[in-house]
Amino acid sequence: MSARTGVRCDRTAAWKQLRAHYDELGARFDVRTAFEADGDARFAAFSEAAPHVFADLSKNLIDRRTEELLLALARESGLEAHRDAMFAGQPINRTEDRAVMHFLLRAPADVTVAEHNKAALADVHATLDAMLAYAEQLRGDHTITDVVNIGIGGSDLGPQMVVRALDAFTAPGKRFHFVSNVDGHELAGVLKGLAPEHTLFLIASKTFTTAETMTNAQSAKRWFAQSGGVDVARHFAALTTNVEAARAFGIEKTFGFWDWVGGRYSLWSAIGLPIALAIGADGFRALLAGAHAMDEHFRTAPLAQNLPVRLGLLDVWYRNFHGFTSRSIAPYHSALARLPAYLQQLEMESNGKQVDASGEALSFGTSPVLWGEPGTNGQHAYFQMLHQGTDVIPLEFVAVRDATHELEGHHPKLLANALAQAQALMAGQADAGGHKNFPGNRPSTFFVLDKLTPESLGAFLAMYEHRVFTSGALWGINSFDQWGVELGKVLARDIEPRLASGDTQGLDASTAGLIARLR
Ligand code: F6P
């Protein structure tokens, strides 16, 4: 067991100083005044060019003193020691006694790792090579026109989001479908358009026990046989840490991964096979390389110039001192439509915790609610509330400089809208009269990728993982377990037979009444 070396954030001297700083100045901080005083220097000081990702943090409610105190908080809380423990492969996921090594999935084969991680790195590359060879073989197999990924949570959101995001890099000839929900409407809808001889099913489940995925996998297998499919071995593959269970299910072709890969951190493992099928082996390796570049930045850059660290500290500032309970993300690129859903699992399943790593209750807030939609769509839906509502919600823009389409005039309009929204949130509009007044001083962060490529997307996602690590480390929580998803699973197993039998004995009156209604 690795012991945490730092002090929990709320017990540090820096926390008290931050509280005083907030009371004194932070609450009244006006970013417009800060720009008047500081101009270009503010933009330079509060922007960061990390590998493949540029971030402008200057429109946030922070000044140099705030950041100095937040950096002191990081040091006192032992962020660096905790980060180094992760990279050393120590079992920092203490409730499951597991190491947390998704970074190893994107490490080059010849990278220097701790002696005890050498075998794991060799396994990673053996599996990666086998998976990419299989992907290339299938990419050349034109009889397979449809790939159906059956998985949920981390076994769905990551690959689904990336396949969509990198559509411009996808060779034509294959359609990708993602079935996650146990709601049969989803699988039935996908199967309707498919022929078994042209379909490949990927059963993606770290545990190979998840009820939704097992139900969908059984139904897919039944459909395959009933529609005249032959050769299950050719048309089904499994992506899992539980290779025996996949074999018992009747799948021969399996690609494994390891218990030190969390589900929401697994798109870099065999769970990424749909991505490799879409963008090819070189594309997948480029995605890994982009993420690795960000891993190195997070591992080695001084805290004050470390983008994931600066973002994670800002998250703590907003959540614990300003008391903001949510954050919105607006990707100004329609290929990133599933990014908010993916980030919801990454951040909220990781940091939605109410006890610290030793099980002690926390007296401060942890994960904010994360939500969002692509711009400009969001502007015509909920941005009203961001501009004039009573709650302050930090907004994050993701803009991509170069478009991958040729349609004239669209891209400058898209980028102009992103910039204008960030400007309007900050500047506001006074003296226009009552309903037309905008308070302004509403914080935002602006990310710029030069192009949406496998490399830049890999770097962006790794940046986000390490940002979540940073706030989780400061809060002293275990960002790598998810016990909060278990209770509902247990209760669903109890309720399912009651829906058939009508037995409501021992249930609360509401659940009993609803069962009667649904029967
Ligand atoms: O129930 C939550 C969860 O365990 C997630 O953490 C995970 O990504 C998802 O279910 C799917 O799990 P599996 O890949 O084991 O099917």
Side-chain angles (χ1 to χ4, degrees):
M1 287 265 153
S2 78
R4 295 293 297 268
T5 44
V7 178
R8 203 172 83 182
C9 60
D10 58 327
R11 297 173 182 146
T12 61
W15 185 270
K16 284 198 199 74
Q17 286 173 300
L18 277 160
R19 179 78 49 224
H21 171 67
Y22 177 79
D23 291 343
E24 192 187 324
L25 277 175
R28 282 179 287 119
F29 179 83
D30 194 311
V31 69
R32 294 163 293 200
T33 318
F35 268 108
E36 274 162 32
D38 220 2
D40 292 346
R42 182 173 170 86
F43 178 71
F46 291 101
S47 58
E48 196 65 66
H52 305 290
V53 182
F54 177 83
D56 172 20
L57 304 170
S58 67
K59 292 197 193 77
N60 283 294
L61 307 179
I62 43 171
D63 60 14
R64 286 186 174 77
R65 174 85 183 133
T66 319
E67 224 184 16
E68 271 164 31
L69 290 173
L70 287 167
L71 288 164
L73 182 69
R75 292 197 184 91
E76 279 190 76
S77 311
L79 171 64
E80 287 154 301
H82 196 52
R83 175 194 64 189
D84 296 346
M86 173 175 76
F87 281 106
Q90 290 176 26
I92 62 168
N93 174 358
R94 292 171 66 189
T95 63
E96 297 177 309
D97 197 19
R98 288 177 183 167
V100 172
M101 298 205 291
H102 42 274
F103 63 88
L104 206 65
L105 299 168
R106 36 233 200 186
D110 57 356
V111 85
T112 310
V113 290
E115 194 57 39
H116 59 273
N117 288 335
K118 283 194 174 147
L121 183 63
D123 279 354
V124 163
H125 279 276
T127 307
L128 177 65
D129 293 347
M131 165 182 131
L132 294 183
Y134 176 71
E136 283 302 326
Q137 176 212 320
L138 274 165
R139 275 161 64 84
D141 179 348
H142 300 298
T143 61
I144 299 292
T145 55
D146 290 87
V147 178
V148 182
N149 189 83
I150 294 180
I152 197 165
S155 300
D156 165 65
L157 290 164
Q160 186 185 161
M161 179 269 294
V162 175
V163 166
R164 181 156 180 180
L166 298 177
D167 183 54
F169 294 81
T170 300
K174 290 202 194 330
R175 286 179 293 264
F176 291 86
H177 313 271
F178 290 85
V179 174
S180 53
N181 204 319
V182 75
D183 179 352
H185 295 104
E186 196 178 357
L187 179 61
V190 167
L191 293 177
K192 219 165 29 192
L194 301 183
E197 65 276 23
H198 298 307
T199 303
L200 171 70
F201 290 98
L202 301 176
I203 313 302
S205 176
K206 178 177 170 181
T207 54
F208 225 79
T209 58
T210 303
E212 291 90 334
T213 302
M214 293 303 106
T215 304
N216 280 323
Q218 291 288 4
S219 298
K221 210 169 134 191
R222 220 175 298 122
W223 170 87
F224 184 78
Q226 285 166 0
S227 339
V230 281
D231 202 356
V232 171
R234 192 172 115 77
H235 291 274
F236 282 77
L239 321 172
T240 183
T241 60
N242 191 352
V243 169
E244 291 102 77
R247 295 250 159 83
F249 180 89
I251 298 181
E252 282 165 38
K253 192 84 198 156
T254 58
F255 295 97
F257 58 111
W258 306 273
D259 70 357
W260 45 260
V261 182
R264 52 195 175 275
Y265 299 87
S266 65
L267 72 89
W268 323 96
S269 71
I271 292 293
L273 180 57
I275 304 171
L277 285 167
I279 65 172
D282 290 346
F284 196 78
R285 288 192 192 277
L287 181 83
L288 299 181
H292 177 67
M294 189 59 77
D295 292 339
E296 286 302 283
H297 170 77
F298 178 57
R299 194 173 67 79
T300 61
L303 297 189
Q305 286 101 47
N306 194 311
L307 181 55
V309 170
R310 294 183 82 179
L311 291 165
L313 295 181
L314 186 62
D315 295 338
V316 169
W317 174 240
Y318 282 159
R319 185 70 187 92
N320 301 123
F321 296 92
H322 281 275
F324 301 152
T325 55
S326 105
R327 190 167 83 242
S328 188
I329 178 142
Y332 274 67
H333 198 304
S334 58
L336 293 173
R338 294 297 288 163
L339 181 68
Y342 165 80
L343 293 178
Q344 276 177 338
Q345 186 194 12
L346 178 59
E347 185 147 357
M348 294 162 75
E349 198 173 71
S350 295
N351 284 349
K353 309 286 162 68
Q354 52 166 348
V355 297
D356 68 17
S358 55
E360 206 183 318
L362 298 175
S363 57
F364 52 84
T366 56
S367 176
V369 177
L370 198 66
W371 57 283
E373 284 287 328
T376 60
N377 295 5
Q379 290 172 210
H380 299 275
Y382 54 79
F383 271 41
Q384 161 67 35
M385 184 260 207
L386 301 181
H387 285 289
Q388 288 187 318
T390 49
D391 291 295
V392 175
I393 296 175
L395 181 57
E396 293 192 349
F397 296 88
V398 185
V400 179
R401 189 193 62 197
D402 299 344
T404 45
H405 64 77
E406 305 289 326
L407 297 173
E408 215 179 297
H410 286 252
H411 206 58
K413 285 193 173 69
L414 179 71
L415 295 182
N417 268 280
L419 289 167
Q421 290 297 323
Q423 200 181 24
L425 284 164
M426 174 172 75
Q429 174 173 274
D431 307 326
H435 298 284
K436 294 188 177 163
N437 279 354
F438 287 63
N441 202 34
R442 302 233 152 161
S444 68
T445 297
F446 205 104
F447 293 107
V448 181
L449 308 183
D450 290 349
K451 286 183 179 164
L452 185 57
T453 61
E455 282 95 339
S456 69
L457 184 63
F460 185 82
L461 299 178
M463 173 199 80
Y464 229 96
E465 290 176 349
H466 298 319
R467 163 197 203 156
V468 168
F469 179 96
T470 297
S471 52
L474 261 73
W475 288 327
I477 60 184
N478 181 355
S479 299
F480 300 100
D481 61 10
Q482 57 285 319
W483 298 105
V485 300
E486 295 306 323
L487 180 60
K489 293 182 190 174
V490 172
L491 296 182
R493 284 199 287 275
D494 172 62
I495 289 176
E496 194 184 327
R498 292 175 184 267
L499 278 169
S501 69
D503 170 17
T504 57
Q505 218 186 353
L507 294 178
D508 64 86
S510 167
T511 308
L514 289 169
I515 287 177
R517 180 93 206 162
L518 284 165
R519 270 167 53 80

